[in-house]
Amino acid sequence: MTKANSNIAILGIGTAVPPYLIDQADTARRLVDALSDKPDSARWGRRIFKQCGVESRYTCEPNLLAEAAECRYLPSATPELAPSTSERMGIYKRESVPLGLHAARQALADGDVEPAAITHLITVSCTGQFLPGMDAAIVQQLGLAPTITRIPLNFLGCAAGLKAIGLSRQIVASDNNAHVLVVCVELCTLHIQPSGDRESLFAASFFGDGASACVIGAAKPPYQPLFELGKERSVLLPDCAEEMVWEVGNHGFDLYLSPHIPKLIGEFIPAEVERLCGEEELALWAIHPGGKGIIDILQNKFELTDEQTAHSLGVLRDYGNVSSATILFVLDAMRMHLQESGSDAVSGIALAFGPGLTAEMIKIAYVPATIARERGQQQADGAYV
């Protein structure tokens, strides 16, 4: 009898960003120019842009780099000239698929997985929609099987990337031969609002554009450094429905983020982590950088070191919050560091948060290639009884 391989893992990761770099300091300068007739809003905007932990981000929209008088997304005396939702969705349709394909090809190459081996495709996005969707375009342009199982996760917010990873683990657990390709594409900057109110300025201060992808399956030779996936947990936090709101408006999507979100996460998440992990020691903390305040409060609650939060803060600094795509940026940076430092196998947790408030979490374990090969050999030696 042959024993099935049950080491479900992220086999490969890919990331991609659009070509236009947004420098945070320069953007703050242009924002202040746009708010010259609203000095209180200008002062508040300058402060939040400086304090949010972002130094650079990327955008698919070159007009966001224009000076205040020419930028249609910044506050102005003629807000009716701002791009409509229809125009923004046209840009999304044009830009999202190439970005997702770039990340997907990287993930397949990184995991040494052929497109023909992919049995399930999960596409994730909350910043745009069109039909036939991104899932159909990726199947056709990546050469995936036309009979592949397609699962679009749309409009679920920042937590959806980790939700897709957890769902992929469940799929592979039920079929050890399955390979799931997850593709997350978020063009958040398309929804910057031409308003000087605090909610709009806060949302404009730290979101960026990008795509990420991963392949999830049972670990098999040839072995690469990878993240094995353990149990996941999804929870809707009580009485928090109005703390994060994302609705379709006439000029893109209107986002409201309550200032109470970090406090609520600090209040509820420790008990949820304990329910998932018990007293297990967690060395790795892949925290979705939904904002610097969220990382800070979790660092305080769990007494994490600066090294344990460095990857989340680094992604926030260099890319901003890329919504659902961000967690794979964090895991990619973490894996690169662990590989370069010659780390042994080490376990931890990945966490992400979204509207609801929703918390997604999954146990992870970094496994270097040498240990993965040893495990594979042990399984091969004991495969027949």
Side-chain angles (χ1 to χ4, degrees), residues 209-249:
D209 296 353
S212 63
C214 67
V215 179
I216 293 172
K220 300 172 183 177
Y223 295 105
Q224 307 290 335
L226 47 78
F227 285 110
E228 289 185 347
L229 300 174
K231 290 172 56 180
E232 71 275 349
R233 182 173 179 82
S234 177
V235 59
L236 195 62
L237 304 181
D239 303 320
C240 296
E242 301 303 317
E243 304 297 330
M244 188 184 300
V245 180
W246 185 231
E247 295 178 335
V248 178

Side-chain angles (χ1 to χ4, degrees), residues 17 21-23 53-58 206 208-209 289 310-322 329 333:
V17 292
L21 176 69
I22 299 178
D23 177 79
V54 176
E55 294 180 6
S56 61
R57 307 174 263 165
Y58 292 84
F206 66 99
D209 296 353
H311 303 297
S312 295
L313 288 171
V315 168
L316 181 65
R317 180 192 65 235
D318 297 336
Y319 300 97
N321 179 352
V322 197
F329 278 80

Side-chain angles (χ1 to χ4, degrees), residues 77-380:
T78 53
E80 64 273 8
L81 296 180
S84 66
T85 300
S86 176
E87 183 178 348
R88 297 174 197 236
M89 290 301 92
I91 298 171
Y92 176 90
K93 182 177 181 179
R94 183 184 72 233
E95 301 293 339
S96 59
V97 173
L99 208 58
L101 284 168
H102 188 102
R105 291 188 175 107
Q106 277 194 5
L108 290 167
D110 185 47
D112 196 22
V113 177
E114 293 295 327
I118 299 298
T119 58
H120 298 71
L121 171 65
I122 302 178
T123 50
V124 185
S125 187
C126 69
T127 50
Q129 295 184 25
F130 61 92
L131 288 173
M134 182 169 59
D135 57 323
I138 288 175
V139 167
Q140 293 166 357
Q141 297 186 43
L142 204 57
L144 304 179
T147 55
I148 193 173
T149 300
R150 292 177 286 127
I151 308 172
L153 298 182
N154 296 328
F155 218 58
L156 294 182
C158 294
L162 199 54
K163 165 65 78 177
I165 291 172
L167 177 59
S168 300
R169 192 199 72 84
Q170 295 174 23
I171 291 169
V172 179
S174 64
D175 179 2
N176 208 232
N177 292 313
H179 286 89
V180 185
L181 174 61
V182 175
V183 182
C184 307
V185 181
E186 302 290 10
L187 305 183
C188 305
T189 65
L190 289 180
H191 301 289
I192 289 177
Q193 297 294 307
S195 169
D197 63 71
R198 292 194 173 194
E199 289 79 8
S200 296
L201 293 175
F202 181 61
S205 69
F206 66 99
F207 280 98
D209 296 353
S212 63
C214 67
V215 179
I216 293 172
K220 300 172 183 177
Y223 295 105
Q224 307 290 335
L226 47 78
F227 285 110
E228 289 185 347
L229 300 174
K231 290 172 56 180
E232 71 275 349
R233 182 173 179 82
S234 177
V235 59
L236 195 62
L237 304 181
D239 303 320
C240 296
E242 301 303 317
E243 304 297 330
M244 188 184 300
V245 180
W246 185 231
E247 295 178 335
V248 178
N250 292 329
H251 297 95
F253 300 166
D254 297 321
L255 176 64
Y256 169 71
L257 296 171
S258 165
H260 305 299
I261 290 173
K263 179 182 176 182
L264 291 167
I265 287 174
E267 178 181 347
F268 289 110
I269 293 306
E272 299 301 331
V273 171
E274 185 176 356
R275 290 185 180 100
L276 176 64
C277 303
E279 299 300 318
E280 183 179 347
E281 183 176 349
L282 303 171
L284 302 178
W285 287 79
I287 302 170
H288 165 70
K292 188 173 183 297
I294 291 175
I295 301 171
D296 288 345
I297 201 162
L298 290 177
Q299 180 172 11
N300 179 264
K301 290 288 182 178
F302 291 102
E303 299 181 348
L304 306 180
T305 66
D306 290 345
E307 184 179 2
Q308 288 173 303
T309 61
H311 303 297
S312 295
L313 288 171
V315 168
L316 181 65
R317 180 192 65 235
D318 297 336
Y319 300 97
N321 179 352
V322 197
S323 192
S324 69
T326 324
I327 192 65
L328 281 166
F329 278 80
V330 175
L331 287 169
D332 193 35
M334 181 178 287
R335 181 188 59 164
M336 186 179 301
H337 171 76
L338 291 167
Q339 184 177 0
E340 290 175 350
S341 64
S343 173
D344 291 331
V346 59
S347 62
I349 188 171
L351 308 98
F353 313 98
L357 292 170
T358 297
E360 299 288 339
M361 54 194 76
I362 189 167
K363 295 169 71 173
I364 59 173
Y366 171 74
V367 181
T370 52
I371 294 180
R373 282 194 293 269
E374 291 171 2
R375 290 183 182 177
Q377 186 60 52
Q378 291 170 0
Q379 290 171 348

Side-chain angles (χ1 to χ4, degrees), residues 29-49:
R29 175 190 61 79
R30 291 183 290 115
L31 178 69
V32 169
D33 289 346
L35 292 169
S36 58
D37 60 336
K38 299 177 181 178
D40 289 342
S41 294
R43 281 192 294 271
W44 194 88
R46 184 190 296 112
R47 184 170 69 251
I48 196 63
F49 267 65

